[in-house]
Amino acid sequence: MIRTPHISCGILGGITRQTVIDLARQDGLTVHEEFMTLYDLFSADEAFLTGTAAEVIPLISLDNKKIGCGTPGEITGRIMNLFREATKVGDAF
Ligand SMILES: Cc1ncc(COP(=O)(O)O)c(C=O)c1O
């Protein structure tokens, strides 16, 4: 299951975030948009960030504390692959 703060928490409803939510659901993952705390983040098995420039990147630590094992997680890798595949364009030449 993937959890992300609900828009009502004050986050930007980014297009990359929404694309990731849609791709994850299409791939059979459950995505909950809900109120979240820092505790939720620190106790997560893994975490990732989304944005137009970074696309999808693993978040392995915060404030010198590991998130999960402190390495990119399995779901994160799956999401990165889904996003890469969905946004792939043809060769430039
Ligand atoms: C505060 C904030 N959150 C998230 C994002 C990512 O949004 P998007 O996925 O649309 O790039 C941005 C991008 O500018 C931002 O400024």
Side-chain angles (χ1 to χ4, degrees), residues 7-59:
I7 297 294
S8 62
C9 297
I11 64 163
L12 182 77
I15 55 173
T16 310
R17 173 181 176 277
Q18 190 58 53
T19 300
V20 163
I21 290 171
D22 295 344
L23 289 171
R25 286 180 174 151
Q26 283 162 23
D27 204 50
L29 291 160
T30 301
V31 182
H32 285 172
E33 297 179 72
E34 57 196 14
F35 176 78
M36 293 183 69
T37 65
L38 260 184
Y39 175 80
D40 295 318
L41 182 55
F42 283 121
S43 59
D45 295 327
E46 59 181 281
F48 61 84
L49 301 171
T50 63
T52 300
E55 300 189 341
V56 181
I57 53 168
L59 178 63

Side-chain angles (χ1 to χ4, degrees), residues 3 21 25 31 40-41 60-61 64-65 68-69 88 90:
R3 300 172 69 199
I21 290 171
R25 286 180 174 151
V31 182
D40 295 318
L41 182 55
I60 58 171
S61 70
N64 293 316
K65 297 185 193 88
C69 302
K88 190 166 69 179

